Amino acid sequence: PAAHLLQDRSVMKIEGIEEVVAKLEKLADATQWRALSQSTAAAARIVARKAKSNAPVGSVAHRGYTGALIAPGYSKSTVKAVRFRRKYNSIALVGVGPNRLGYYTAQFVEGGHKDRAGGSVPAKPWLKPALDSTESQLLSAFESKMKTFVNKAIR
């Protein structure tokens, strides 16, 4: 998830967010979580678009772990942002990546792996660079969505 990856970075400041947070605290818990979730999802969609354009495309069709024939470019076509269901009132989780049949691009291509002959296949990151290159855009998308949602809810 994008928010999880941002935790290890230095603290980022969003201009004008203090008054939005003050307004947000006046809303009901369910509305607070909805605002946080929708704002986080708006930011994640930006990362998902960039990740989709960065995703590797193979040249040969192959069988997946379920036995299904997977065409080149399948995992790229399944990259998306997913909001996770509400578990705690103050946490909104969003994930960006391919679906279950396309997991190998995140698992083996992003991080590298050992091949069957015992050699090593180097990592070719594509998800992390998508997050890094869209960092300023996702923060501004989060900010604008949050401000819009809170101002609409306050009225």
Side-chain angles (χ1 to χ4, degrees):
H4 177 70
L5 290 175
L6 289 174
Q7 286 180 346
D8 63 348
R9 299 168 186 242
S10 61
V11 176
M12 292 178 219
K13 182 97 170 129
I14 298 176
E15 296 299 321
I17 201 71
E18 292 85 11
E19 59 267 8
V20 174
V21 170
K23 290 178 184 177
L24 183 64
E25 288 174 349
K26 294 177 185 174
L27 301 176
D29 285 345
T31 307
Q32 287 178 4
W33 183 85
R34 197 172 335 119
L36 183 60
S37 180
Q38 288 182 8
S39 300
T40 306
R45 284 190 293 273
I46 292 171
V47 177
R49 279 194 296 275
K50 182 65 174 177
K52 190 174 248 190
S53 70
N54 287 356
V57 176
S59 57
V60 180
H62 63 282
R63 299 260 175 215
Y65 69 94
T66 62
L69 185 62
I70 300 175
Y74 174 76
S75 62
K76 181 176 190 151
S77 70
T78 65
V79 172
K80 60 183 175 180
V82 176
R83 281 195 302 179
F84 292 94
R85 291 173 43 168
R86 181 179 179 176
K87 189 170 183 180
Y88 305 104
N89 285 339
S90 60
I91 299 173
L93 297 175
V94 179
V96 174
N99 71 2
R100 285 196 280 179
L101 280 178
Y103 80 94
Y104 52 86
T105 55
Q107 179 74 24
F108 301 118
V109 177
E110 179 82 11
H113 64 280
K114 301 278 185 193
D115 64 12
R116 292 181 182 176
S120 174
V121 177
K124 296 178 186 164
W126 57 279
L127 278 172
K128 182 82 166 90
L131 175 65
D132 293 340
S133 67
T134 59
E135 189 172 314
S136 63
Q137 294 172 349
L138 69 94
L139 288 175
S140 64
F142 177 86
E143 177 186 9
S144 69
K145 183 69 174 181
M146 179 67 82
K147 284 180 179 178
T148 302
F149 189 92
V150 169
N151 289 332
K152 187 185 291 184
I154 290 291
R155 290 183 207 163

